[in-house]
Amino acid sequence: MRLVYERIHDLRGNLITVLAKDVGLNELAQIETPAGTSYASVLSIDGDRVTLQVFGGTRGISTGDRVTFLRRRMMATYGPDVLGRRLNGAGDPIDGGPTLTGEHIPIGQPSFNPVKRVIPRQMVRTNIPMIDVFNCLVKSQKIPIFSIAGEPYNALLMRIANQTDAQVVILGGMGLTFADYDAFIENADTSGSADRTVMFIHRATDPIVEAVLVPDMALAVAEQFAMAGKTVLVLLTDMTAFADSLKEIAITMDQVPSNRGYPGSLYSDLAARYEKAVDIEGGGSITIIAVTTMPGDDVTHPVPDNTGYITEGQFYLRSGRIDPFGSLSRLKQLVIGKVTREDHGDLANTLVRLYAEAKRARERQGMGFHLSVWDEKLIHFAQLFEERLMRLQVNLELEKALDLGWQILAECFARSEVGIKEALLAKYWPADVTAAH
């Protein structure tokens, strides 16, 4: 039986308080106003004081409006019709298309049964050399992109969405500007990836409550596709905006703040979303890549700091490139040399080692020191490496990227100078290339 209450006790921000009994956490409620119907979910219960977050904001709601508890949680819609659609944080279409049809599924459920999980051993290809060659993405991995405002992290997500071999791509955008939102739409339309993409979008002008819902909506739908045997890639941007929304709601509720004002539950709030990544025995998989912007490029900020303890590595996006030194995929050893070519590991390590030496050679050059022949070779190598492999615009299959890595080495060094096993040199060193001296 639904419970109906004729009075709202308090309104603060996007929250309302009702004096009610026999309701549960996250239960959905309907608010009837003269302007129409709004929805809210139960956020906290303190005795008979029930606090709800209103999805569309409290504008137009008065204390005399009727609140009906619906005895169910917030639902997302799953089915074939959801592909190619754009939805808001509440799961409603915002693309002008028809009403969604399909199965209604609850959001915010526990992570997938650990007994049904399998150890990941398959690679998710992106055709971006700085990922595929140096820090492979593995099915069921959860990994953030650490960056700062102004870096092209959304453009990177678009390239991953376009070039990945995943069967379904689900985008969760939080706090997006209209320019970012339009860019995602245009990219999906022009790249031909729209028919395998679902977008859950919270724009910067939308109620903050919807930003909190976006990851749960995206991941609930992703789980259904994965259980149907699909390889799913979930792209979230920006998890700092998600955490800021949690912070604002906690402040409105007068919760005691933790580090830098964020709620004490921040770690578990982030972990509950990231732990949805899974490789299902006999089914599909969910892989999560999430942008996390670092205010002031501060990796000790609570959001990236907590994220680092949850995820399996990170990509650092700096100066428009994925930084090979700070980036790390903790699962790459599961696929490098096992499901990829035998030369993959040795070649990747050599390229990064020589690029690190080249960085020191450039420092010597900048300070006006005399450069040795070896320094000049390193600097030439760094120029080719950055131009041919590090640019985000490079679109190469892994095998072609590995071949290009060998090509760059051969153009800059003699085979005896690179420190790679002779067996690999004999098989992969380009015979028709002579190093410049």
Side-chain angles (χ1 to χ4, degrees):
M1 182 180 68
R2 294 181 177 181
L3 301 176
V4 181
Y5 294 88
E6 302 287 346
R7 181 169 179 79
I8 296 173
H9 184 71
D10 186 28
L11 295 96
R12 286 182 297 169
N14 290 308
L15 307 181
I16 64 171
T17 301
V18 178
L19 301 180
K21 296 180 179 180
D22 300 323
V23 299
L25 280 174
N26 300 316
E27 184 175 335
L28 195 64
Q30 179 178 291
I31 307 168
E32 298 175 25
T33 72
T37 301
S38 299
Y39 290 90
S41 69
V42 176
L43 194 61
S44 69
I45 301 172
D46 183 10
D48 61 351
R49 292 178 61 88
V50 180
T51 301
L52 303 96
Q53 52 184 3
V54 184
F55 300 141
T58 56
R59 185 174 183 178
I61 296 176
S62 69
T63 55
D65 291 334
R66 175 183 292 184
V67 179
T68 304
F69 290 91
L70 303 180
R71 294 304 195 191
R72 62 178 176 85
R73 291 189 168 205
M74 188 70 182
M75 298 281 191
T77 303
Y78 162 74
D81 292 345
V82 78
L83 291 171
R85 300 300 302 273
R86 301 192 303 275
L87 315 171
N88 63 14
D92 300 321
I94 55 174
D95 54 6
T99 302
L100 278 179
T101 58
E103 179 185 356
H104 294 291
I105 54 174
I107 68 171
Q109 296 297 292
S111 299
F112 203 82
N113 186 350
V115 176
K116 294 294 184 181
R117 295 173 180 248
V118 296
I119 297 174
R121 302 199 184 280
Q122 293 179 285
M123 179 179 170
V124 177
R125 291 175 177 252
T126 66
N127 287 0
I128 298 174
M130 294 308 295
I131 296 177
D132 291 356
V133 174
F134 300 99
N135 287 291
C136 305
L137 192 61
V138 180
K139 284 185 180 179
S140 82
Q141 189 166 5
K142 45 190 179 289
I143 193 165
I145 299 173
F146 287 161
S147 188
I148 60 173
E151 291 285 352
Y153 44 81
N154 286 334
L156 175 58
L157 290 186
M158 292 179 210
R159 292 193 63 81
I160 293 173
N162 298 344
Q163 298 168 193
T164 181
D165 58 353
Q167 296 169 299
V168 177
V169 177
I170 299 181
L171 171 69
M174 293 151 280
L176 295 184
T177 65
F178 280 100
D180 288 334
Y181 176 47
D182 288 340
F184 277 116
I185 296 172
E186 182 180 359
N187 174 74
D189 291 339
T190 57
S191 67
S193 61
D195 59 349
R196 63 180 176 125
T197 302
V198 187
M199 296 187 190
F200 290 92
I201 300 297
H202 168 263
R203 291 165 292 198
T205 55
D206 293 337
I208 62 166
V209 174
E210 291 189 11
V212 177
L213 292 173
V214 163
D216 292 336
M217 284 282 179
L219 292 165
V221 173
E223 280 187 319
Q224 296 301 311
F225 277 114
M227 287 190 287
K230 302 292 186 182
T231 301
V232 185
L233 179 62
V234 178
L235 306 174
L236 301 174
T237 178
D238 164 11
M239 291 303 285
T240 301
F242 166 79
D244 287 343
S245 297
L246 291 175
K247 176 180 177 180
E248 189 167 339
I249 291 171
I251 290 172
T252 305
M253 294 175 63
D254 296 326
Q255 290 184 2
V256 177
S258 183
N259 191 6
R260 303 198 198 184
Y262 287 92
S265 62
L266 178 62
Y267 177 90
S268 56
D269 289 331
L270 292 171
R273 278 76 186 180
Y274 281 113
E275 292 301 331
K276 294 285 188 176
V278 63
D279 196 351
I280 303 171
E281 182 180 9
S285 64
I286 299 174
T287 305
I288 300 175
I289 302 178
V291 169
T292 299
T293 51
M294 303 182 293
D297 202 16
D298 180 11
V299 75
T300 66
H301 183 275
V303 181
D305 186 38
N306 280 281
T307 299
Y309 289 103
I310 300 166
T311 54
E312 294 144 347
Q314 68 281 325
F315 299 128
Y316 276 97
L317 184 63
R318 292 193 175 110
S319 303
R321 296 169 175 159
I322 296 176
D323 181 5
F325 304 125
S327 300
L328 171 67
S329 170
R330 294 193 180 100
L331 300 186
K332 65 181 180 181
Q333 69 272 13
L334 297 175
V335 297
I336 289 183
K338 298 180 178 67
V339 298
T340 64
R341 261 175 24 188
E342 61 179 336
D343 62 321
H344 187 169
D346 288 88
L347 177 62
N349 290 338
T350 298
L351 290 170
V352 172
R353 172 174 55 81
L354 291 172
Y355 187 63
E357 291 187 36
K359 187 175 180 181
R360 291 191 290 270
R362 281 176 165 172
E363 290 174 354
R364 290 191 289 272
Q365 183 184 44
M367 291 185 289
F369 289 121
H370 174 73
L371 298 181
S372 66
V373 174
W374 178 248
D375 287 334
E376 291 174 351
K377 286 185 176 184
L378 289 171
I379 292 172
H380 179 51
F381 163 77
Q383 293 169 343
L384 297 183
F385 182 75
E386 291 171 350
E387 176 64 25
R388 299 182 187 178
L389 290 177
M390 286 189 70
R391 287 190 308 116
L392 294 182
Q393 293 76 18
V394 176
N395 178 1
L396 284 175
E397 295 179 0
L398 172 61
E399 292 73 21
K400 292 182 178 179
L402 293 175
D403 291 340
L404 182 57
W406 284 109
Q407 177 85 10
I408 294 171
L409 289 179
E411 289 184 28
C412 300
F413 307 103
R415 58 189 288 169
S416 60
E417 295 175 320
V418 296
I420 298 178
K421 291 182 289 188
E422 184 59 37
L424 294 178
L425 290 171
K427 186 173 181 179
Y428 294 104
W429 189 267
D432 56 344
V433 178
T434 302
H437 296 289

